[in-house]
Amino acid sequence: MDKKISMAIAVLLLLSVLPYGAYGEATTPYIEIEYPHDGQTVGERTELVVVAEGNELRNPFVSIEGENGIAVGFPLEGCIYAAPGVTDLEGTDLTIPQPPGPMKMYCKTEINLGSFEGERIRLSVSVLEKNEILMDSVGLFVSGQCT
């Protein structure tokens, strides 16, 4: 029997007997602000870096609430999504479809905090994951002195 055909049959047999959980660890959905850090002093313009993982991620959103009662919200832009894909078998032309699984989201964008200069703010990010809302937030001080 041809080596490629026998390898394909072996892989298909393996996939048919493995339970879904054996493909990998179950992922707990999350969203995290990687930058800026909680308690940090930032300038009027600062970079925002957010990562998330879960199923069917969509509609990332930013909200900023100042200590003077002013709040703003806007869609989080600059996001890249990585969905579950296929695995290539080295040395062959075969690919194995992966079971449904979590997708990853990475966002990096610059935000303007000029209207909050001299204030403590609560910066929050959220993303819809299936029928849930994942959320993370940090407390920051906005200073015009930082760059």
Side-chain angles (χ1 to χ4, degrees):
M1 193 181 292
D2 183 64
K3 188 175 182 176
K4 286 185 180 181
I5 292 173
S6 61
M7 185 172 213
I9 291 171
V11 168
L12 290 174
L13 286 172
L14 180 64
L15 289 174
S16 67
V17 297
L18 284 175
Y20 175 72
Y23 287 108
E25 296 180 15
T27 300
T28 301
Y30 72 90
I31 187 169
E32 179 183 357
I33 298 172
E34 287 194 338
Y35 188 85
H37 305 288
D38 192 43
Q40 187 173 347
T41 298
V42 296
E44 291 180 11
R45 298 187 80 74
T46 191
E47 189 172 73
L48 174 62
V49 179
V50 177
V51 295
E53 188 169 345
N55 295 300
E56 301 173 31
L57 299 176
R58 62 196 185 285
N59 302 334
F61 197 79
V62 177
S63 59
I64 304 166
E65 186 177 344
E67 60 189 354
N68 292 330
I70 296 174
V72 296
F74 51 90
L76 179 56
E77 297 178 349
C79 296
I80 299 170
Y81 295 86
V86 295
T87 300
D88 293 323
L89 293 177
E90 285 189 39
T92 71
D93 296 329
L94 302 172
T95 58
I96 304 171
Q98 295 298 305
M103 64 189 309
K104 295 181 181 184
M105 180 184 82
Y106 177 80
C107 309
K108 183 177 181 180
T109 190
E110 184 176 85
I111 56 174
N112 185 344
L113 301 172
S115 58
F116 297 99
E117 184 179 354
E119 289 186 50
R120 296 188 191 287
I121 63 167
R122 173 67 47 191
L123 173 69
S124 301
V125 294
S126 63
V127 67
L128 293 176
E129 193 264 344
K130 283 192 173 184
N131 297 321
E132 294 183 55
I133 298 174
L134 306 176
M135 184 177 258
D136 190 22
S137 62
V138 292
L140 305 170
F141 178 73
V142 181
S143 170
Q145 305 301 315
C146 293
T147 55

